[in-house]
Structure formats: C-alpha cells, structure tokens
C-alpha cells in the first residue's frame, strides 16, 4: 500500500454514497456504518457491548477488525478521559479525501476526525486520548503476526455473509489468542457460525439486543482457565 495520505486512485476502495453521506463498499455491497445511525450503533454495540465506560484505564488496549471510516476510533476517543491504545486491522484503507467525506456525517466528531485525518499515514495517530495504530493487510496474515493482546475487541468487518473470510474460524481463533485475561469482544452480528467460532476460540458468548432493526448482537468475555 502506498502512502495513505496520498494514495494512488487504484488504491482507494470503490465506494457509492447513499443518503446522509453513508459510504457503501462496491466490492462487498455493504455500508461502512448503519444507515439508521452509525454513531449510535457504535456506542451501543462496541462501547456498551464491551462495558468500556466502567473499564477504561490508562494503557487499556482496544483492537478492531475493520477500521473502515475510523468511526469506532472516533467514538472511543470521544469517551476516553485517560490515555488508551487502539490497534485496527484494515485491508482496504480509505484515502484521506474519502475519510473526510465520510466524517462529514458526524459533525459532533469533527475536531477528533480532523486529528485522525491529520495523522493519516503515520505509525501512531493521536486522536484525543487514543493512540491509534492501523495495521494494513489481510487480517488472516496480519493478526497472527501481531505481538500484542487486546483488553477489548471491536469485531466490525463487513457482513459475514458478504465477507466470510474475515469471520472464519481461523481469524476468530486468532482473536481469542490475542486477548488479554478477562478480555472481551463485541460485534453487531449474531450469525451462528461466528458465535460458535468465538466460543471455540475461548469466549463465553452472549446474545444481546441489537441496534435498530437488528434484533440481536453478540458479546462475550474470555473464559478463565478453570471455567
């Protein structure tokens, strides 16, 4: 991948833009965030699903599959009052111009979004109290090579039906292997094969009320060695 700040046109994901400025991947035919309220869904699924309001502490590490527009990172930065880390795995990074167009849908996040774009392409991007690292490439290669562990996971790839490789048992096993003791995950999907793969990866998997039209979502905590 070339410089993220000034990518070649062929490097940019092909996007359509729907009402309200929602980017939709032409490759996966799936929106990057909810058509019915992207920021509210992020807060419900990822922040509340991982109980972050009660858990954030200095050095807390969030990891994410699917950086997309960076909305989840911005929502985390909005609530983080202490320094935390975030690592996001992304195979098809947007250009800075595409990020700017997507971020226009969230005026309340404009200052944080500007920080993200200003740092786009740097090794560590400072967004409020969040030290963000974006790892480029296929998560099936990059996650096994990662030498860290997360306290909480945001599993936010495109739909399992449209991007099954990102939700395979191999990737979910790596999520479990790269989770700190007592670590958690949350995701918008309640697909049975994803839930089973996460259970097999070592998580106690719970089904919870979803956001908007989605009846259910999934969340869970890594099981302890004695249970």
């Amino acid at each position: 991948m070339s410089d993220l700040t000034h990518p070649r046109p062929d490097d940019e994901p092909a996007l359509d833009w729907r009402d309200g400025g929602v980017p939709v991947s032409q490759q996966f035919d799936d929106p990057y965030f909810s058509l019915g309220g992207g920021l509210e869904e992020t807060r419900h699924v990822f922040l509340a699903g991982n109980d972050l309001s009660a858990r954030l502490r200095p050095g807390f590490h969030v990891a994410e599959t699917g950086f997309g527009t960076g909305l989840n990172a911005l929502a985390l930065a909005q609530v983080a009052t202490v320094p935390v880390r975030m690592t996001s795995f992304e195979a098809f990074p947007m250009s800075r111009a595409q990020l700017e167009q997507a971020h226009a849908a969230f005026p309340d996040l404009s200052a944080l979004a500007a920080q993200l774009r200003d740092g786009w392409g740097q090794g560590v991007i400072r967004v409020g109290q969040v030290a963000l690292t974006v790892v480029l490439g296929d998560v099936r290669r990059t996650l096994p090579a990662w030498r860290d562990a997360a306290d909480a996971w945001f599993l936010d790839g495109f739909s399992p039906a449209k991007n099954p490789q990102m939700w395979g048992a191999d990737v979910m096993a790596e999520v479990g292997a790269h989770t700190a003791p007592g670590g958690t995950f949350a995701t918008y999907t309640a697909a049975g094969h994803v839930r089973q793969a996460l259970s097999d990866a070592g998580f106690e998997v719970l089904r919870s009320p979803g956001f908007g039209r989605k009846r259910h979502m999934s969340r869970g905590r890594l099981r302890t060695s004695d249970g």
Side-chain angles (χ1 to χ4, degrees):
M1 176 58 62
S2 62
D3 181 354
L4 292 178
T5 307
H6 302 287
R8 300 186 306 270
D10 289 346
D11 288 336
E12 301 178 3
L15 304 178
D16 293 322
W17 297 86
R18 294 187 184 169
D19 293 346
V22 177
V24 179
S25 168
Q26 292 182 9
Q27 178 176 352
F28 297 104
D29 187 29
D30 211 21
Y32 277 78
F33 48 78
S34 171
L35 300 173
L39 181 56
E40 290 78 10
E41 181 177 45
T42 286
R43 289 168 173 160
H44 176 86
V45 174
F46 299 113
L47 302 188
N50 281 291
D51 195 23
L52 293 190
S53 63
R55 297 175 64 207
L56 290 183
R57 50 174 169 65
F60 192 92
H61 196 168
V62 174
E64 172 184 53
T65 54
F67 180 76
T69 65
L71 177 59
N72 297 338
L74 296 175
L76 176 63
Q78 190 178 43
V79 300
T81 59
V82 296
V84 299
R85 294 187 293 156
M86 182 171 181
T87 302
S88 185
F89 296 86
E90 173 60 53
F92 307 104
M94 288 187 174
S95 69
R96 190 181 188 280
Q98 287 175 323
L99 289 174
E100 186 169 13
Q101 186 171 352
H103 293 164
F106 306 103
D108 290 348
L109 300 175
S110 59
L112 293 168
Q115 292 178 24
L116 190 160
R117 296 193 304 272
D118 287 346
W120 197 231
Q122 297 178 8
V124 177
I125 306 169
R126 302 288 175 175
V127 186
Q129 294 275 21
V130 177
L132 169 67
T133 301
V134 181
V135 179
L136 300 182
D138 189 324
V139 71
R140 293 172 293 180
R141 293 185 296 101
T142 56
L143 181 50
W146 192 43
R147 297 293 180 255
D148 214 328
D151 298 296
W153 278 92
F154 297 169
L155 303 181
D156 195 25
F158 289 118
S159 163
K162 297 180 178 181
N163 187 21
Q165 296 87 351
M166 197 169 192
W167 299 92
D170 55 340
V171 175
M172 297 301 101
E174 292 293 339
V175 168
H178 290 84
T179 301
T184 62
F185 81 88
T187 179
Y188 64 86
T189 184
H193 69 92
V194 174
R195 292 165 53 81
Q196 183 60 56
L198 285 162
S199 179
D200 292 343
F203 290 97
E204 179 185 0
V205 180
L206 304 174
R207 189 167 66 175
S208 298
F211 174 81
R213 297 180 180 179
K214 295 177 181 175
R215 292 182 60 191
H216 300 114
M217 56 171 274
S218 302
R219 59 186 178 89
R221 183 176 300 273
L222 195 67
R223 289 191 291 266
T224 60
S225 58
D226 59 359

